[in-house]
Amino acid sequence: MKDLVVATVALLLGALGPQSYQESPFDPLWILGTILLVAYSLGQLAGLLRLPPMLGWIAAGLLVGNSGFQLMNAQMDDILRPVRHAAAVWVAFQVGIHAWPISWLDWRRGGIVFASTLSVFFAVALGGVLLAELSWSFTLLLAATASLWGAFTGVPAERQRYVLQVGVVGGFLNLIILSVVLLWSAAEGTVQTDAISFVGRLALSLVVGAVSAAIVRFFSLLPRSVDGLLVGLLVTCFSAAALFEVVQIPVLPFGFAAGLVLAQHARWRRRLRYILHRVGSVPLLFYFALLGGVLNVRLLNAPAPDLLTVFLITVGVLLLLRGVFTTIYLRLGAEGPSRDWGWELLPRGVLLFELCYATEPGLLDLLTGPEAILLEQFVVCDILVSALLYVIIARVAQIVSERVRVRSRVPTA
């Protein structure tokens, strides 16, 4: 499937690429093809280095997009945004399908996830107030974004399903905290009144996704054949992307809720997982490459005064409370114990990116002045570190853990 996509894109680049300095209606296709070819190449290179291909995909977007050669200007981004939204629906639907059944969840493990979420939130908030001397209202919003979950870096395999489900449970709890902080801030007048609309649009997207999937299940509207299911999924992704772009509703909650509801039916869950496995990582390549193209690292050329302090606090808290402690507790008594679950829970750039850049107004539009600049720079740093450094840490921890287990099984002479 990947080779077919690459060959098709190469042909498009040759046929539709710009032949002069005049603008062409095919320029968006040429730019999209360029990003995808670079993303595929760098993804293959990352695979050779035993790193997740996502590293190469995001690096390609950074190289071609706003942070590098700046081929994606505002007009191109407007044209390519529906493609990114459609890929986001697919990614979120895939998460929802693999998030059920959550057989491991009980009061003890649920309490651990909840305690981990709250501890990261309060630790970052206290650090921001005491060390960076930021206001409480702004620090709470910053801490709510810093404590987001969302462990999803590729097509879920059987081994990573537990990690994904922990991230889903933690992400749901964190979205509740973020919504409470935004509503409280709107009531206090420390953020724009659009905060209420922002929370409402997130909830509406979840409800629409769940209701739509429930209707499909109740009336048995899913196609019977595998090819029909694939076409139906593609049409749904692009239709939802186009519709939600018009009404300015984030697509990620819609896709996740739809996948979670359809996953309740065991037979359809198996068939949908089979289709998602057949398509593989192509939608992820689209999404992460375009995500990297949107990010603008040039914003960090003039860093805000407290950016480094706040960022170091966040990284330290996450490595300690989520990387170390969560690994120790969650692996106890779980099926198929692993020594690196906590480290795999660190990558979380997808959810934060969607909250900030998917719709207008987004999370970054709720503030003005120096606080808005600090929050935007923090988000850019956090997404980059989450998608690059945390992924490498998780992969290295996994390799080390595998080698330790192999050596422990070898009998000593």
Side-chain angles (χ1 to χ4, degrees):
M1 189 69 178
K2 287 183 181 178
D3 295 335
L4 176 61
V5 172
V6 172
T8 303
V9 170
L11 292 174
L12 284 173
L13 287 176
L16 307 178
Q19 306 299 325
S20 65
Y21 291 103
Q22 296 180 354
E23 293 186 358
S24 166
F26 299 112
D27 284 352
L29 287 177
W30 183 83
I31 292 174
L32 178 61
T34 301
I35 293 177
L36 295 181
L37 278 180
V38 177
Y40 178 80
S41 302
L42 295 183
Q44 294 293 101
L45 178 62
L48 292 176
L49 299 175
R50 297 194 66 185
L51 294 173
M54 187 188 75
L55 291 172
W57 302 337
I58 295 180
L62 294 172
L63 180 65
V64 178
N66 295 328
S67 300
F69 293 110
Q70 297 182 314
L71 296 182
M72 285 183 60
N73 53 32
Q75 181 181 4
M76 291 299 175
D77 182 55
D78 291 339
I79 297 174
L80 295 178
R81 188 183 297 129
V83 178
R84 191 182 74 234
H85 286 341
V89 176
W90 186 282
V91 170
F93 183 81
Q94 191 161 256
V95 173
I97 284 292
H98 287 86
W100 189 266
I102 310 180
S103 57
W104 57 268
L105 186 61
D106 53 27
W107 287 106
R108 183 176 69 89
R109 296 193 185 96
I112 292 171
V113 176
F114 181 69
S116 175
T117 306
L118 281 182
S119 60
V120 172
F121 172 74
F122 284 115
V124 173
L126 288 175
V129 172
L130 299 178
L131 300 180
E133 298 182 352
L134 301 174
S135 65
W136 267 109
S137 58
F138 175 72
T139 306
L140 289 176
L141 178 59
L142 190 71
T145 60
S147 57
L148 283 171
W149 296 70
F152 188 76
T153 58
V155 179
E158 189 66 33
R159 179 185 171 279
Q160 284 88 22
R161 191 166 297 155
Y162 177 82
V163 176
L164 184 146
Q165 291 175 346
V166 172
V168 166
V169 174
F172 178 75
L173 295 172
N174 187 258
L175 284 179
I176 294 177
I177 295 175
L178 177 62
S179 300
V180 171
V181 169
L182 287 175
L183 294 176
W184 175 81
S185 300
E188 294 292 320
T190 56
V191 297
Q192 299 183 19
T193 55
D194 287 337
I196 300 175
S197 172
F198 179 81
V199 174
R201 286 183 287 119
L202 284 176
L204 179 61
S205 181
L206 278 171
V207 171
V208 172
V211 171
S212 300
I215 293 174
V216 169
R217 276 191 57 192
F218 183 79
F219 292 102
S220 300
L221 299 179
L222 288 173
R224 301 294 178 181
S225 65
V226 173
D227 292 337
L229 271 176
L230 176 59
V231 173
L233 283 176
L234 291 174
V235 171
T236 300
C237 289
F238 281 98
S239 299
L243 176 61
F244 283 27
E245 174 71 14
V246 173
V247 298
Q248 291 297 318
I249 296 178
V251 298
L252 202 71
F254 168 84
F256 170 74
L260 188 63
V261 171
L262 290 177
Q264 309 298 312
H265 194 289
R267 184 166 67 91
W268 288 115
R269 181 173 67 245
R270 289 192 298 268
R271 298 190 67 184
L272 289 169
R273 284 181 181 177
Y274 171 73
I275 295 213
L276 295 171
H277 179 74
R278 275 188 56 186
V279 175
S281 60
V282 173
L284 292 163
L285 186 152
F286 272 79
Y287 179 79
F288 285 112
L290 293 176
L291 179 154
V294 171
L295 292 180
N296 189 1
V297 181
R298 298 172 187 266
L299 294 172
L300 304 178
N301 290 337
D306 299 310
L307 176 63
L308 181 60
T309 302
V310 172
F311 186 67
L312 289 178
I313 292 171
T314 302
V315 172
V317 168
L318 284 172
L319 290 177
L320 179 62
L321 296 181
R322 194 164 293 173
V324 177
F325 290 162
T326 309
T327 295
I328 294 173
Y329 284 107
L330 285 179
R331 64 189 292 260
L332 298 178
E335 298 176 2
S338 171
R339 299 180 184 273
D340 52 0
W341 277 338
W343 304 112
E344 292 188 10
L345 290 166
L346 291 174
R348 54 198 179 84
V350 174
L351 182 56
L352 183 58
F353 177 85
E354 289 294 313
L355 291 175
C356 295
Y357 293 99
T359 60
E360 297 178 0
L363 192 61
L364 297 177
D365 300 313
L366 302 181
L367 297 172
T368 57
E371 290 183 343
I373 296 174
L374 175 57
L375 180 61
E376 184 174 11
Q377 292 182 348
F378 172 81
V379 167
V380 172
C381 290
D382 194 77
I383 291 176
L384 289 178
V385 170
S386 175
L388 302 177
L389 177 62
Y390 291 161
V391 170
I392 294 177
I393 291 176
R395 183 55 179 158
V396 170
Q398 178 185 349
I399 294 174
V400 172
S401 177
E402 290 174 352
R403 290 181 178 178
V404 170
R405 285 197 294 269
V406 169
R407 289 179 181 178
S408 64
R409 294 169 185 169
V410 177
T412 57

